[in-house]
Amino acid sequence: MHGHWSSRAAFILAVTGSAVGLGNIWKFPYITGENGGGAFVLLYLGCVFAVGMPILVSEVLLGRRGRRNPIATMAILGQEEGGSRHWRLVGTMGVIAGLLILSFYSVIAGWSLAYALKSAVGSFAGTDARSAAFEFFTFTGNWKALLAWHAVFMAMTVFVVAAGVQHGLERAVRVLMPLLVVMLLVLVAYSARYGAFEETLVYLFKPDFSELSGESMLIALGHCFFTLSIGMGVVMAYGAYLPEGTSIAASSLTVVLADTVIALLAGMAVFPLVFGNGLNPAEGPGLVFETLPIAFGQLPAGSVFGTVFFLLLTFAAWTSAIGLLEPAVAWIVERHQRSRVVGAVVVGGLTWLMGLATVLSFNVLSDLRFGRGTLFQNIDFLASNILLPASALLITVFAGWIMCRNSSSEELAMGSGLLYKGWRLLSRVVAPLAILVIAFRAVGVI
Ligand code: PHE
């Protein structure tokens, strides 16, 4: 039998740990920059609360009811509630999306690890825009180095997952999460003191809707799933280890609030340094790597704060990567009766190999462009903007329409009051409609 969390707080910390990651600190700032700022932030917040939150509740609910790895959970619940085991494909799709994401996630987390070290040894001292861009270019141009850092990060992830739910996952988040919050607050204070803070507030919170396209809406929606870790069986797997009698709705709300606040704080740590130094917010995936070293290179005690920043990014990524690996490992352990160590090593090894595609996208294969751009951009788009919305849609349809009312209200333990009705309305109507409308708009049907 699998493990379980020692308490409700441990569960909330673990889900928050999986939610808060590169998505908040690396991706949110750069996609906000690429999509014009305030209006995109508003859209993202709308998606998070109206679509992401009810689906998060649904996913935890399914996980706790099924009490297995996501594939088995969907098979069993599909059989019980919907008369078909084919629902397991939803679980399978989620697990695959999760591994695809992990394959590039670990590469970027590897950059972060390398940058923490670079900063600590003082390589950013006196860096200007040209030398920072050059440094990033030479670093990402060296595929062997990227592959090695990717290996280090994957090994850290495998190590924790192999150690088990309470000894590995729980212990890691208990130490790392509080550390992360403290580091982030210190950085925001630092940016407020030395950067263009007012300009940042206007940029993030004053919407200009002329900047928004149908494509931006799809990006905001995809990011809402990415950042809340939904649609890939991660919270379903975590929900399976949740003790009876814990309020799913209250835990989910806590997670959503924490994730959102941390993303906004990350924006407030990154953009003041970007604007204060006249850098370009629409820089793309290199944003924090190409711009922040310049700021850290020029400000007082910059190498200390630079190290803190990249360590923060690495820790945040670590607690998320653990979540991405868990569903597939749980599946191997339960289905194939292998130990967690074997499961973690095998899945981690295969995903590491898949990461080669991302590694090469920045150097050897950087000229290979199709669809969304490089190989990495296509993998990200496929996983985050197609697979995640699709499996999130199926999850919410299952919880809202297929599962019988008694099962969901019993599991949510909210009675049949207003809160329960609110969740049902959001998960049956609002969330599916929003996903469909945004998807159709993005492909140009509406
Ligand atoms: N939510 C994480 C982030 O924002 C990414 C992630 C997705 C982690 C899915 C686990 C599962 O970085």
Side-chain angles (χ1 to χ4, degrees):
M1 211 32 225
H2 56 57
H4 57 88
W5 306 111
S6 65
S7 66
R8 179 175 114 104
F11 168 75
I12 293 182
L13 263 185
V15 181
T16 310
S18 118
V20 174
L22 293 178
N24 305 59
I25 303 169
W26 162 73
K27 201 171 184 191
F28 174 72
Y30 92 73
I31 59 176
T32 300
E34 284 179 337
N35 290 280
F40 179 80
V41 173
L42 205 62
L43 195 65
Y44 159 77
L45 291 178
C47 285
V48 163
F49 286 95
V51 184
M53 181 140 109
I55 300 183
L56 178 63
V57 170
S58 304
E59 206 178 317
V60 179
L61 155 87
L62 298 183
R64 190 168 69 183
R65 198 144 185 98
R67 290 231 172 268
R68 303 277 194 302
N69 69 80
I71 300 176
T73 287
M74 288 310 294
I76 292 171
L77 295 182
Q79 177 82 40
E80 268 174 28
E81 306 271 346
S84 163
R85 290 180 69 83
H86 289 320
W87 283 98
R88 89 169 166 271
L89 292 177
V90 178
T92 312
M93 182 158 94
V95 171
I96 292 175
L99 294 181
L100 273 179
I101 290 180
L102 182 59
S103 80
F104 70 77
Y105 207 84
S106 166
V107 174
I108 313 286
W111 297 359
S112 174
L113 209 53
Y115 266 61
L117 194 72
K118 282 179 199 287
S119 179
V121 299
S123 340
F124 299 140
T127 297
D128 60 15
R130 274 188 58 194
S131 54
F134 182 73
E135 167 84 32
F136 182 71
F137 184 74
T138 6
F139 172 65
T140 51
N142 179 351
W143 67 269
K144 287 187 192 139
L146 297 195
L147 201 60
W149 285 109
H150 166 45
V152 173
F153 183 80
M154 192 62 93
M156 289 161 55
T157 307
V158 166
F159 177 76
V160 174
V161 172
V165 175
Q166 287 191 11
H167 287 120
L169 276 60
E170 202 173 312
R171 205 185 285 166
V173 290
R174 268 188 206 282
V175 178
L176 296 178
M177 291 310 288
L179 210 59
L180 192 135
V181 171
V182 173
M183 289 202 270
L184 188 56
L185 289 176
V186 169
L187 275 174
V188 172
Y190 179 75
S191 288
R193 168 93 172 71
Y194 296 106
F197 203 63
E198 268 170 45
E199 202 179 327
T200 296
L201 294 182
V202 171
Y203 183 75
L204 287 179
F205 300 112
K206 191 157 173 279
D208 171 3
F209 287 97
S210 62
E211 300 267 357
L212 274 190
S213 61
E215 175 87 14
S216 304
M217 297 179 73
L218 184 65
I219 308 256
L221 183 76
H223 187 62
C224 138
F225 299 138
F226 185 91
T227 191
L228 294 177
S229 309
I230 48 190
M232 51 205 117
V234 175
V235 287
M236 206 183 280
Y238 279 15
Y241 314 144
L242 185 62
E244 295 292 337
T246 308
S247 161
I248 293 179
S251 315
S252 302
L253 180 65
T254 316
V255 171
V256 171
L257 288 176
D259 186 74
T260 307
V261 168
I262 292 187
L264 294 175
L265 283 176
M268 289 183 222
V270 172
F271 286 116
L273 299 177
V274 170
F275 293 131
N277 291 278
L279 305 169
N280 176 14
E283 179 71 47
L287 184 68
V288 299
F289 296 97
E290 274 184 81
T291 56
L292 296 187
I294 310 172
F296 293 132
Q298 276 154 17
L299 296 172
S303 60
V304 175
F305 284 97
T307 312
V308 170
F309 178 83
F310 288 109
L311 278 181
L312 166 84
L313 193 60
T314 308
F315 286 173
W318 196 10
T319 54
S320 299
I322 294 168
L324 286 166
L325 194 56
E326 178 64 25
V329 172
W331 177 74
I332 292 199
V333 171
E334 290 168 20
R335 173 73 205 265
H336 297 284
Q337 318 280 322
R338 302 287 164 165
S339 68
R340 284 186 72 91
V341 177
V342 172
V345 170
V346 169
V347 183
L350 288 176
T351 316
W352 176 76
L353 265 185
M354 278 168 26
L356 200 56
T358 296
V359 164
L360 297 180
S361 301
F362 290 91
N363 33 67
V364 181
L365 298 180
S366 64
D367 290 334
L368 176 67
R369 288 178 187 259
F370 58 99
R372 298 281 144 182
T374 60
L375 211 48
F376 155 67
Q377 283 163 322
N378 281 290
I379 297 175
D380 182 21
F381 189 80
L382 170 68
S384 313
N385 302 99
I386 299 180
L387 293 178
L388 291 192
S391 72
L393 176 66
L394 291 169
I395 287 172
T396 190
V397 165
F398 186 85
W401 293 93
I402 310 284
M403 197 169 203
C404 79
R405 228 188 137 98
N406 289 343
S407 311
S408 59
S409 82
E410 179 190 49
E411 202 62 47
L412 289 177
M414 294 197 286
S416 54
L418 212 57
L419 265 179
Y420 178 71
K421 291 207 177 93
W423 168 76
R424 237 172 115 79
L425 179 71
L426 288 174
S427 64
R428 282 164 71 97
V429 184
V430 178
L433 267 184
I435 298 177
L436 288 175
V437 168
I438 293 178
F440 283 134
R441 262 197 78 128
V443 291
V445 177
I446 310 185

